[in-house]
């Protein structure tokens, strides 16, 4: 009659292995993706600094691009190429857009793709 009291409760080896596997997978995912977003934060900061330049609407495309690339160098921005930067500069108006993507290999044939689209407009057309 006391058989129900003698039963032991707890996790089996398989359930513990599955839980540890999930924890390891998500930890690996975070360790691979976090640097991508840290780098993107640097891109956003560089764009904000260029936008806050007082005479941004009077600068040429090349001056804006050079200023942006210098800020990228100072902040150790990676994976943004000059081809990813589109600048429209007209008298009294500037539009800067950066569109880039990053593919990070997780393991085996599993990869993650992250796309970023940032930009700003200053002045009026």
């Amino acid at each position: 009659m006391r058989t129900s009291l003698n039963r032991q409760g707890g996790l089996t080896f398989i359930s513990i292995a599955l839980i540890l596997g999930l924890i390891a997978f998500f930890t690996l995912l975070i360790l691979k993706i976090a640097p991508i977003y840290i780098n993107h934060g640097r891109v956003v900061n560089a764009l904000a600094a260029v936008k806050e330049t007082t005479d941004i609407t009077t600068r040429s495309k090349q001056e804006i691009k050079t200023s942006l690339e210098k800020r990228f160098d100072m902040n150790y921005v990676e994976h943004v190429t000059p081809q990813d930067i589109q600048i429209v500069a007209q008298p009294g108006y500037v539009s800067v857009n950066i569109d880039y993507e990053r593919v990070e290999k997780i393991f085996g044939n599993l990869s993650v793709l992250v796309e970023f689209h940032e930009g700003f407009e200053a002045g009026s057309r």
Side-chain angles (χ1 to χ4, degrees):
M1 295 284 202
R2 299 184 122 201
T3 57
S4 63
L5 294 176
N6 292 334
R7 291 188 63 200
Q8 294 184 2
L11 296 175
T12 64
F13 176 74
I14 293 174
S15 61
I16 291 173
L18 285 173
I19 291 170
L20 291 176
L22 283 173
I23 291 171
F25 175 75
F26 285 113
T27 302
L28 176 66
L29 199 61
I30 289 170
L31 289 174
K32 292 286 190 167
I33 292 177
I36 296 172
Y37 280 98
I38 291 170
N39 185 65
H40 179 65
R42 294 177 188 152
V43 171
V44 170
N45 289 339
L47 270 173
V50 168
K51 182 180 180 181
E52 296 302 319
T53 305
T54 55
D55 60 344
I56 189 69
T57 56
T58 61
R59 291 188 172 192
S60 69
K61 287 170 115 176
Q62 190 58 40
E63 290 173 328
I64 295 169
K65 194 169 201 167
T66 302
S67 175
L68 196 55
E69 288 174 352
K70 285 180 183 178
R71 292 180 190 281
F72 285 170
D73 287 341
M74 286 189 309
N75 292 328
Y76 301 105
V77 171
E78 300 173 331
H79 311 297
V80 177
T81 64
Q83 293 80 18
D84 297 330
I85 304 169
Q86 294 87 34
I87 300 172
V88 175
Q90 300 171 348
Y93 173 78
V94 171
S95 171
V96 178
N97 290 305
I98 299 177
D99 296 327
Y100 69 102
E101 59 186 35
R102 179 82 173 111
V103 177
E104 184 68 37
K105 187 173 183 172
I106 304 298
F107 63 85
N109 62 354
L110 180 65
S111 298
V112 63
L113 168 68
V114 185
E115 295 179 344
F116 296 105
H117 310 284
E118 293 294 332
F120 69 87
E121 293 182 355
S124 62
R125 287 188 177 205

